[in-house]
Amino acid sequence: MTVAMAPSDEFWSPEEPDEAEPASPEAAGAPSPSSGSSGSSDSSGEDGQSADAARLISEDARAFGAYARTGGWAFALKVARSVRPGGQGAGETPKISAKEFAELAECSAERVMRYYKAWDKAADDGMVPHFEALAPGMEVELPDADVWSTYYAARSSALTPRGNAISEAAEAEGIRPTKALEVAENPTALRAAILADPGTAEAARKALMDRIDEDPALRTELVRDIVRTDDLKKAVAAESKAGDRVDYVRQIVEKGQVKTPAGQMIEAPAELREEAERHLSLIDELDEGEDSGEWAREAYDTVRDLIAETVQSNPELRVQERRAKFYSSLQKATKVFEELTFDDVDDIDDIYEDDMVERLEDLRQAIGACIDALQSATTQGQTQALPRAGSESEARPGEEQPPTVPAQQSPADASQEHSPA
């Protein structure tokens, strides 16, 4: 802003010639006795103009320096010492109202009040004198320009609670509050920028994620938007699946254990851990915006194949896997069959269908075949455990032989969850 400076009393001005003095030969137009007299007169005029310009430049520089040091405080002082505080009548002080001051300044009263309120806040903090201690034309020591933005709000919206919150967030981010307030006052412009610019859209996304923890209402609305949009639901499901697969591989690397298809936890072989670590390092090196779904699928399939090879290559582990798988299936079937009751049916004839009995008969036959197979295996095991005639293990007369007890097979922990599909 340009500050106009009134000419000082020391401003030099050429004096009027004395009428009693005779006119000089140059003024009368007579030829100069010296050939250089004309050039001397022109030089004097140029020197006067240079001195005038130098004075004006000096005044501008001093005014600029004062503003550079104090910033808006210089103008706030003019308001503070000229505008009467609220509650004071016109007869109590020579000061004028903010409206009258704005009319004289040819600006809006809102602008005047922004400077007024900035001074008021600073006075409460002890930075400047209160209004009552100031009189028109009084000069006081002003704070540095650096703290001006702390008290002055260039936009009227900053004076509201919403504006205060935006200003505080802007200062926390290290930007000027006026920029954030301008964006907040133009949501249509913000929408246009998000739609047109990927960088702006990414900044908006990160801001929403930072806010979502402290804003339950926003979180609920975002979830509803996702549920209502088929493409977003599919994307969320795909990302969740990829995340589960990456976690599966990461558990192998960090804990050294792996879950088999039947739900057993076994120690991961060195080869399996090395392969899992290699795939995991590739996934961790991906850029933030790069899709990890394909990498996660490849890593998951690779370790699953190695797990299957590990199980098949170990006869004892292979048997344990089959046993665990059987118990897991048996538990699921038991739970499902327990739900096949008619406790909530008033009249069974209302729901009866011929194929119900047929399917239950097929199920009973399958269960019977399974029981027969298990009983046959148990009988065969007991037969193989009996001592052969004439063998050294045959009981001698008078000696007691301990009874043969079939080996009990402990079920695998069927409560463990299966790994991600």
Side-chain angles (χ1 to χ4, degrees), residues 196-230:
D197 179 41
T200 305
E202 178 65 12
R205 182 190 68 81
K206 291 181 178 179
L208 288 174
M209 294 306 299
D210 290 341
R211 181 182 175 84
I212 200 170
D213 290 337
E214 59 186 30
D215 193 340
L218 175 62
R219 181 170 59 247
T220 301
E221 289 300 322
L222 286 177
V223 171
R224 288 174 179 171
D225 290 339
I226 293 174
V227 171
R228 295 167 184 162
T229 308
D230 291 338

Short mmCIF file of all heavy atoms in Angstrom, two decimals, residues 196-230:
data_model
loop_
_atom_site.label_atom_id
_atom_site.label_comp_id
_atom_site.label_asym_id
_atom_site.label_seq_id
_atom_site.Cartn_x
_atom_site.Cartn_y
_atom_site.Cartn_z
N ALA A 196 -10.73 -32.02 -11.16
CA ALA A 196 -9.84 -31.78 -12.29
C ALA A 196 -8.40 -32.19 -12.02
O ALA A 196 -7.66 -32.53 -12.96
CB ALA A 196 -9.88 -30.30 -12.69
N ASP A 197 -7.97 -32.17 -10.77
CA ASP A 197 -6.55 -32.35 -10.46
C ASP A 197 -6.34 -33.54 -9.54
O ASP A 197 -6.84 -33.55 -8.41
CB ASP A 197 -6.00 -31.08 -9.80
CG ASP A 197 -4.54 -31.22 -9.43
OD1 ASP A 197 -3.79 -31.79 -10.23
OD2 ASP A 197 -4.16 -30.77 -8.33
N PRO A 198 -5.59 -34.56 -9.97
CA PRO A 198 -5.33 -35.73 -9.11
C PRO A 198 -4.60 -35.36 -7.83
O PRO A 198 -4.85 -35.95 -6.78
CB PRO A 198 -4.47 -36.63 -10.00
CG PRO A 198 -4.77 -36.23 -11.41
CD PRO A 198 -5.05 -34.75 -11.34
N GLY A 199 -3.70 -34.39 -7.90
CA GLY A 199 -2.97 -33.98 -6.70
C GLY A 199 -3.89 -33.40 -5.64
O GLY A 199 -3.76 -33.70 -4.45
N THR A 200 -4.84 -32.56 -6.09
CA THR A 200 -5.80 -32.00 -5.15
C THR A 200 -6.71 -33.08 -4.57
O THR A 200 -7.04 -33.07 -3.38
CB THR A 200 -6.64 -30.93 -5.85
OG1 THR A 200 -5.79 -29.94 -6.43
CG2 THR A 200 -7.58 -30.24 -4.88
N ALA A 201 -7.11 -34.03 -5.42
CA ALA A 201 -7.94 -35.14 -4.95
C ALA A 201 -7.20 -35.98 -3.91
O ALA A 201 -7.79 -36.41 -2.90
CB ALA A 201 -8.37 -36.01 -6.13
N GLU A 202 -5.91 -36.20 -4.12
CA GLU A 202 -5.13 -36.98 -3.16
C GLU A 202 -5.00 -36.24 -1.84
O GLU A 202 -5.10 -36.85 -0.76
CB GLU A 202 -3.75 -37.26 -3.74
CG GLU A 202 -2.81 -38.02 -2.82
CD GLU A 202 -3.28 -39.43 -2.50
OE1 GLU A 202 -4.22 -39.92 -3.18
OE2 GLU A 202 -2.74 -40.03 -1.57
N ALA A 203 -4.80 -34.93 -1.90
CA ALA A 203 -4.72 -34.14 -0.68
C ALA A 203 -6.05 -34.18 0.08
O ALA A 203 -6.07 -34.28 1.32
CB ALA A 203 -4.35 -32.70 -1.01
N ALA A 204 -7.16 -34.12 -0.65
CA ALA A 204 -8.48 -34.20 -0.01
C ALA A 204 -8.69 -35.57 0.63
O ALA A 204 -9.25 -35.69 1.73
CB ALA A 204 -9.57 -33.91 -1.04
N ARG A 205 -8.25 -36.62 -0.05
CA ARG A 205 -8.41 -37.97 0.51
C ARG A 205 -7.63 -38.12 1.81
O ARG A 205 -8.15 -38.66 2.81
CB ARG A 205 -7.91 -39.02 -0.50
CG ARG A 205 -8.07 -40.46 -0.02
CD ARG A 205 -7.36 -41.43 -0.94
NE ARG A 205 -5.92 -41.28 -0.86
CZ ARG A 205 -5.17 -41.82 0.11
NH1 ARG A 205 -5.74 -42.52 1.06
NH2 ARG A 205 -3.86 -41.66 0.10
N LYS A 206 -6.39 -37.65 1.83
CA LYS A 206 -5.58 -37.75 3.04
C LYS A 206 -6.19 -36.94 4.18
O LYS A 206 -6.17 -37.36 5.34
CB LYS A 206 -4.16 -37.29 2.75
CG LYS A 206 -3.38 -38.23 1.83
CD LYS A 206 -1.97 -37.72 1.61
CE LYS A 206 -1.16 -38.67 0.74
NZ LYS A 206 0.22 -38.18 0.50
N ALA A 207 -6.74 -35.78 3.84
CA ALA A 207 -7.36 -34.95 4.87
C ALA A 207 -8.58 -35.66 5.47
O ALA A 207 -8.80 -35.63 6.69
CB ALA A 207 -7.76 -33.60 4.28
N LEU A 208 -9.37 -36.31 4.64
CA LEU A 208 -10.54 -37.03 5.14
C LEU A 208 -10.11 -38.18 6.05
O LEU A 208 -10.74 -38.44 7.08
CB LEU A 208 -11.36 -37.57 3.97
CG LEU A 208 -12.14 -36.53 3.16
CD1 LEU A 208 -12.80 -37.18 1.95
CD2 LEU A 208 -13.20 -35.85 4.02
N MET A 209 -9.05 -38.89 5.67
CA MET A 209 -8.58 -39.99 6.50
C MET A 209 -8.03 -39.49 7.83
O MET A 209 -8.18 -40.16 8.86
CB MET A 209 -7.50 -40.79 5.75
CG MET A 209 -8.01 -41.50 4.50
SD MET A 209 -9.44 -42.57 4.82
CE MET A 209 -8.74 -43.73 5.98
N ASP A 210 -7.42 -38.31 7.84
CA ASP A 210 -6.93 -37.74 9.10
C ASP A 210 -8.08 -37.31 10.00
O ASP A 210 -7.96 -37.34 11.23
CB ASP A 210 -6.02 -36.55 8.82
CG ASP A 210 -4.70 -36.97 8.19
OD1 ASP A 210 -4.34 -38.16 8.30
OD2 ASP A 210 -4.03 -36.11 7.57
N ARG A 211 -9.17 -36.91 9.39
CA ARG A 211 -10.32 -36.39 10.16
C ARG A 211 -11.26 -37.51 10.61
O ARG A 211 -12.01 -37.35 11.58
CB ARG A 211 -11.09 -35.38 9.30
CG ARG A 211 -12.29 -34.76 10.01
CD ARG A 211 -13.05 -33.81 9.10
NE ARG A 211 -14.25 -33.33 9.75
CZ ARG A 211 -14.31 -32.30 10.58
NH1 ARG A 211 -13.22 -31.64 10.87
NH2 ARG A 211 -15.45 -31.94 11.13
N ILE A 212 -11.21 -38.64 9.97
CA ILE A 212 -12.24 -39.67 10.15
C ILE A 212 -12.25 -40.23 11.57
O ILE A 212 -13.30 -40.64 12.08
CB ILE A 212 -12.02 -40.80 9.12
CG1 ILE A 212 -13.30 -41.61 8.94
CG2 ILE A 212 -10.86 -41.70 9.51
CD1 ILE A 212 -13.24 -42.57 7.79
N ASP A 213 -11.09 -40.23 12.25
CA ASP A 213 -11.05 -40.78 13.60
C ASP A 213 -11.80 -39.92 14.61
O ASP A 213 -12.38 -40.43 15.56
CB ASP A 213 -9.60 -40.95 14.06
CG ASP A 213 -8.90 -42.07 13.30
OD1 ASP A 213 -9.60 -42.95 12.78
OD2 ASP A 213 -7.66 -42.04 13.21
N GLU A 214 -11.79 -38.61 14.40
CA GLU A 214 -12.42 -37.71 15.36
C GLU A 214 -13.79 -37.22 14.91
O GLU A 214 -14.38 -36.37 15.55
CB GLU A 214 -11.51 -36.50 15.59
CG GLU A 214 -11.20 -35.72 14.34
CD GLU A 214 -10.20 -34.61 14.57
OE1 GLU A 214 -9.35 -34.77 15.45
OE2 GLU A 214 -10.28 -33.60 13.85
N ASP A 215 -14.28 -37.76 13.80
CA ASP A 215 -15.58 -37.34 13.28
C ASP A 215 -16.42 -38.57 12.96
O ASP A 215 -16.44 -39.05 11.82
CB ASP A 215 -15.38 -36.49 12.01
CG ASP A 215 -16.65 -35.77 11.59
OD1 ASP A 215 -17.74 -36.21 12.02
OD2 ASP A 215 -16.57 -34.78 10.84
N PRO A 216 -17.12 -39.13 13.95
CA PRO A 216 -17.93 -40.34 13.71
C PRO A 216 -18.99 -40.15 12.64
O PRO A 216 -19.28 -41.09 11.89
CB PRO A 216 -18.57 -40.61 15.08
CG PRO A 216 -17.68 -39.91 16.06
CD PRO A 216 -17.16 -38.70 15.35
N ALA A 217 -19.57 -38.97 12.57
CA ALA A 217 -20.61 -38.73 11.56
C ALA A 217 -20.03 -38.85 10.16
O ALA A 217 -20.64 -39.45 9.26
CB ALA A 217 -21.23 -37.35 11.77
N LEU A 218 -18.85 -38.27 9.95
CA LEU A 218 -18.21 -38.37 8.64
C LEU A 218 -17.87 -39.82 8.31
O LEU A 218 -18.07 -40.27 7.17
CB LEU A 218 -16.93 -37.52 8.62
CG LEU A 218 -16.08 -37.62 7.35
CD1 LEU A 218 -16.84 -37.13 6.14
CD2 LEU A 218 -14.78 -36.84 7.53
N ARG A 219 -17.38 -40.55 9.31
CA ARG A 219 -17.05 -41.96 9.09
C ARG A 219 -18.28 -42.76 8.67
O ARG A 219 -18.22 -43.58 7.74
CB ARG A 219 -16.43 -42.54 10.36
CG ARG A 219 -16.03 -44.00 10.22
CD ARG A 219 -15.21 -44.48 11.41
NE ARG A 219 -15.93 -44.34 12.66
CZ ARG A 219 -15.59 -43.51 13.63
NH1 ARG A 219 -14.56 -42.70 13.48
NH2 ARG A 219 -16.28 -43.46 14.76
N THR A 220 -19.39 -42.50 9.33
CA THR A 220 -20.63 -43.22 9.00
C THR A 220 -21.08 -42.91 7.58
O THR A 220 -21.48 -43.81 6.83
CB THR A 220 -21.73 -42.83 10.00
OG1 THR A 220 -21.31 -43.18 11.32
CG2 THR A 220 -23.02 -43.56 9.67
N GLU A 221 -21.01 -41.65 7.19
CA GLU A 221 -21.43 -41.26 5.84
C GLU A 221 -20.53 -41.89 4.78
O GLU A 221 -21.00 -42.33 3.73
CB GLU A 221 -21.42 -39.74 5.71
CG GLU A 221 -22.54 -39.05 6.49
CD GLU A 221 -23.92 -39.50 6.03
OE1 GLU A 221 -24.11 -39.72 4.82
OE2 GLU A 221 -24.80 -39.66 6.90
N LEU A 222 -19.24 -41.94 5.04
CA LEU A 222 -18.32 -42.55 4.07
C LEU A 222 -18.62 -44.04 3.91
O LEU A 222 -18.61 -44.57 2.79
CB LEU A 222 -16.88 -42.34 4.52
CG LEU A 222 -16.32 -40.92 4.36
CD1 LEU A 222 -14.90 -40.86 4.92
CD2 LEU A 222 -16.32 -40.50 2.90
N VAL A 223 -18.88 -44.71 5.03
CA VAL A 223 -19.20 -46.14 4.96
C VAL A 223 -20.49 -46.36 4.18
O VAL A 223 -20.59 -47.28 3.35
CB VAL A 223 -19.33 -46.72 6.39
CG1 VAL A 223 -19.87 -48.14 6.33
CG2 VAL A 223 -17.98 -46.70 7.08
N ARG A 224 -21.47 -45.52 4.40
CA ARG A 224 -22.73 -45.66 3.66
C ARG A 224 -22.52 -45.43 2.17
O ARG A 224 -23.11 -46.14 1.33
CB ARG A 224 -23.75 -44.66 4.20
CG ARG A 224 -24.28 -45.02 5.59
CD ARG A 224 -25.18 -43.92 6.14
NE ARG A 224 -25.72 -44.27 7.45
CZ ARG A 224 -26.39 -43.43 8.23
NH1 ARG A 224 -26.61 -42.18 7.82
NH2 ARG A 224 -26.84 -43.82 9.40
N ASP A 225 -21.69 -44.45 1.84
CA ASP A 225 -21.41 -44.20 0.43
C ASP A 225 -20.76 -45.42 -0.23
O ASP A 225 -21.06 -45.77 -1.38
CB ASP A 225 -20.50 -42.98 0.28
CG ASP A 225 -21.22 -41.69 0.62
OD1 ASP A 225 -22.47 -41.68 0.58
OD2 ASP A 225 -20.55 -40.69 0.94
N ILE A 226 -19.86 -46.07 0.51
CA ILE A 226 -19.19 -47.25 -0.04
C ILE A 226 -20.18 -48.38 -0.23
O ILE A 226 -20.19 -49.06 -1.27
CB ILE A 226 -18.04 -47.68 0.89
CG1 ILE A 226 -16.94 -46.62 0.88
CG2 ILE A 226 -17.48 -49.03 0.47
CD1 ILE A 226 -15.84 -46.88 1.87
N VAL A 227 -21.05 -48.60 0.76
CA VAL A 227 -22.03 -49.69 0.69
C VAL A 227 -23.00 -49.48 -0.47
O VAL A 227 -23.44 -50.43 -1.13
CB VAL A 227 -22.78 -49.81 2.03
CG1 VAL A 227 -23.94 -50.79 1.92
CG2 VAL A 227 -21.82 -50.25 3.13
N ARG A 228 -23.34 -48.22 -0.73
CA ARG A 228 -24.31 -47.92 -1.80
C ARG A 228 -23.71 -47.97 -3.19
O ARG A 228 -24.44 -47.90 -4.18
CB ARG A 228 -24.91 -46.54 -1.55
CG ARG A 228 -25.73 -46.43 -0.27
CD ARG A 228 -26.01 -44.99 0.06
NE ARG A 228 -26.72 -44.82 1.31
CZ ARG A 228 -26.79 -43.69 2.00
NH1 ARG A 228 -26.17 -42.62 1.54
NH2 ARG A 228 -27.45 -43.63 3.14
N THR A 229 -22.40 -48.05 -3.29
CA THR A 229 -21.74 -48.03 -4.59
C THR A 229 -21.12 -49.39 -4.86
O THR A 229 -20.20 -49.82 -4.17
CB THR A 229 -20.65 -46.94 -4.62
OG1 THR A 229 -21.21 -45.69 -4.20
CG2 THR A 229 -20.09 -46.78 -6.03
N ASP A 230 -21.62 -50.08 -5.90
CA ASP A 230 -21.16 -51.44 -6.18
C ASP A 230 -19.67 -51.50 -6.48
O ASP A 230 -18.97 -52.39 -6.01
CB ASP A 230 -21.94 -52.02 -7.37
CG ASP A 230 -23.41 -52.27 -7.01
OD1 ASP A 230 -23.70 -52.40 -5.80
OD2 ASP A 230 -24.25 -52.33 -7.92
#
